[in-house]
Amino acid sequence: MSKDLVVVLTALNLEYEAVRRNLAGPRLHRHRRGTRFEVGTVPGTSCRVALALTNKGNHPAAVLAERAIQEFSPVAVLFVGVAGALWESTGLGDVVMATHVYAYHGGTSEDDGLKARPRAWEAPHGISQLGAHLARAGDWAGGPPGDKSATRVHFGAIAAGEVVQNSRISAEAEWIRQHYNDALAIEMEAAGVAQAGHLNGAPVAVIRGISDRADGTKSSAEDRNWQPRAAANAAAFAVRLAAELIGEQEQIAMNEYYRTGRTDKLREQVSNTARSSQVGIMARTVTGSNVHFNGRPQASGPTDLAAELDGFREHLDRAGAVGALDEDTCQAARAELDIAGRAARKKASGSRKEATMALKRLRGLVADHDELAAMLEPLITAAGGLS
C-alpha cells in the first residue's frame, strides 16, 4: 500500500479541474495502457493525490477505478463530482457523502410490473466516521467565492444507474423514489467504483455536490450556474478528507512504531547508514525527536541537518543519473529538498513543521527506492527536533 496516496476519480472535466485546483505540483503519470493520471500534493500536508478522469457511466468508472488501485495501491479511492438531488431537503450546492451506494438498475420484469433487485455497497466505517467528523468541525476549506457557511454536508444513500435522470414525473423517476426512497442523490458512476473497490480490497468513498434536482432543469441557466459551485464544494471536502486519511495513517504508524519498541531498529538503521555512507546522519541514539551525536545527547541543529540534506542530494542525483528514478520524480524531489533545506537553515518557529512536511512529501516521491527512503527516516526525525 502507498501509505501517503489517495486516488481521486471524476467523470467530467469540470469536476477534474475542481479537484486539480486544490493540488500543488501535479505531474503526469502515464499508465502503460494509456490512462493519464496527475499526481499532486495537498498543500501543507504529506498527502499525495492521484487524479484521473473516467468519463460517464458505471462501467468505465469501474475499469478505471480498478486500474488506479492496481497502479497505486492507494489508502482509499474517492469518487468526486456532481449529482442530482432526489428530495427538497438537500440543497443546491450541498455535499452528499454516501453511506451506501445502490445500483438501482438491477430488477426483474413481471406481469405486475418491474420489481427491484438492487445491489448495495456500504461505505467503510472509518471513512464514514472521519467524514462525519469533518462535517461537524465545519472547517474544510475551498470552494467558490460566497457564503461557505451555508454549505451543508449530508450523509445517506446514493443511487447510481446508467441513464441521466431529468424528470420528476416519468415512470422511472417515480419507480426510483418508490423503491429507493432513502437515497439522497442520483448519479451514474458510484456503483462501478464501489464494485471495483470491493473486489480489490480498497476503501471507497463517494462525495457529490448537488448541482440540480433531477427534475427537468438540467442544462438550464440555473444548472450551469450551480454545476461549478457544486463541483468545487465536493472537491474541497474530498481533498480535505484525503489529507485527513493520510494524517490518520501516519499517526497509526507512529503509534505502532512506539508501541512495538522499534526505536532500537531505527538506531540500528541509522548506525548502519552512517557506517556505509557519508550521507546519513552520524547518530548513535534517537530519543523522541532529538538526535544524539557521538554518544552525547544534543539536538540536531539547522547547520547539521542542512549539511545532511546537501549530502542526500548527491545520492538523489546519482539515482536519477542511473535511471533508478525518472526525471519528473527527480525534479519534484529536488524541489521538496530545497524547501526542507531552506527551512533547516531558518530559526523561525514554523521551520520544524515546514522541513518535516517537505521531507515526508519527498519520502513519498522516492518510496520505491529503498535506499533513499531509508536515508530519509533519520532526516525526518532530525527535522522534527529543530528548535
Side-chain angles (χ1 to χ4, degrees):
M1 177 190 294
S2 299
K3 295 183 179 180
D4 65 342
L5 185 140
V6 173
V7 165
V8 175
L9 303 175
T10 71
L12 305 175
N13 269 310
L14 173 79
E15 301 159 344
Y16 185 101
E17 292 295 339
V19 175
R20 193 177 190 274
R21 284 193 292 271
N22 287 272
L23 304 179
R27 58 186 179 85
L28 179 64
H29 178 100
R30 293 184 185 87
H31 186 271
R32 62 186 179 278
R33 296 298 183 187
T35 305
R36 290 184 170 227
F37 297 87
E38 285 192 283
V39 180
T41 304
V42 180
T45 77
S46 59
C47 173
R48 294 189 298 148
V49 170
L51 175 64
L53 185 71
T54 68
N55 291 317
K56 297 178 183 178
N58 286 297
H59 296 157
V63 172
L64 267 294
E66 180 164 45
R67 180 166 291 179
I69 293 167
Q70 295 297 324
E71 185 77 358
F72 296 102
S73 298
V75 170
V77 177
L78 310 184
F79 203 92
V80 182
V82 299
L86 290 175
W87 307 102
E88 294 293 334
S89 58
T90 310
L92 294 177
D94 284 357
V95 172
V96 175
M97 183 172 176
T99 57
H100 49 291
V101 173
Y102 293 131
Y104 68 80
H105 269 123
T108 178
S109 179
E110 300 182 5
D111 290 343
D112 57 348
L114 181 64
K115 305 299 178 62
R117 286 187 177 179
R119 296 195 66 185
W121 296 267
E122 189 170 347
H125 176 69
I127 292 182
S128 294
Q129 289 282 296
L130 182 54
H133 172 76
L134 291 179
R136 287 192 298 269
D139 60 348
W140 50 281
D147 184 11
K148 197 72 173 71
S149 62
T151 302
R152 295 177 297 166
V153 182
H154 306 264
F155 297 86
I158 288 179
E162 297 300 329
V163 298
V164 176
Q165 289 296 328
N166 193 27
S167 172
R168 295 189 72 87
I169 61 174
S170 69
E172 187 171 44
E174 293 180 356
W175 186 83
I176 290 170
R177 287 181 170 84
Q178 177 185 356
H179 292 281
Y180 303 93
N181 59 9
D182 62 333
L184 300 181
I186 188 166
E187 43 97 305
M188 299 174 61
E189 292 83 28
V193 179
Q195 174 74 345
H198 170 71
L199 293 178
N200 289 276
V204 169
V206 179
I207 299 158
R208 294 288 188 170
I210 299 301
S211 62
D212 63 85
R213 298 197 177 280
D215 60 356
T217 60
K218 283 184 181 293
S219 301
S220 67
E222 183 179 38
D223 179 48
R224 289 192 294 273
N225 176 53
W226 278 107
Q227 259 205 354
R229 296 175 65 180
N233 289 344
F237 187 81
V239 170
R240 177 62 184 276
L241 178 65
E244 292 295 328
L245 281 169
I246 298 304
E248 281 199 345
Q249 289 293 314
E250 291 177 346
Q251 187 60 52
I252 291 170
M254 185 64 70
N255 291 344
E256 181 66 13
Y257 176 85
Y258 286 111
R259 187 184 70 82
T260 58
R262 290 173 63 191
T263 304
D264 290 338
K265 293 183 180 180
L266 179 59
R267 290 196 191 103
E268 181 181 356
Q269 178 187 25
V270 173
S271 180
N272 290 340
T273 302
R275 287 195 297 270
S276 63
S277 171
Q278 295 180 352
V279 175
I281 293 181
M282 306 298 288
R284 295 292 183 264
T285 60
V286 177
T287 305
S289 61
N290 293 326
V291 180
H292 307 319
F293 293 86
N294 300 324
R296 297 187 303 273
Q298 65 184 67
S300 176
T303 303
D304 300 318
L305 179 57
E308 299 298 337
L309 293 176
D310 289 340
F312 180 85
R313 185 184 296 273
E314 296 178 9
H315 282 252
L316 176 64
D317 291 341
R318 190 175 302 120
V322 300
L325 294 175
D326 62 73
E327 183 56 31
D328 287 344
T329 300
C330 283
Q331 289 182 2
R334 291 186 191 106
E336 297 296 350
L337 197 57
D338 288 341
I339 294 172
R342 288 193 295 270
R345 291 176 173 85
K346 292 178 184 177
K347 295 185 178 179
S349 58
S351 61
R352 177 173 61 183
K353 181 178 179 181
E354 185 179 359
T356 301
M357 297 309 298
L359 290 176
K360 286 183 177 180
R361 293 192 295 267
L362 175 57
R363 179 179 59 189
L365 290 169
V366 301
D368 293 335
H369 193 293
D370 292 341
E371 182 182 354
L372 293 178
M375 288 181 180
L376 279 172
E377 293 300 334
L379 295 177
I380 292 171
T381 302
L386 292 174
S387 56

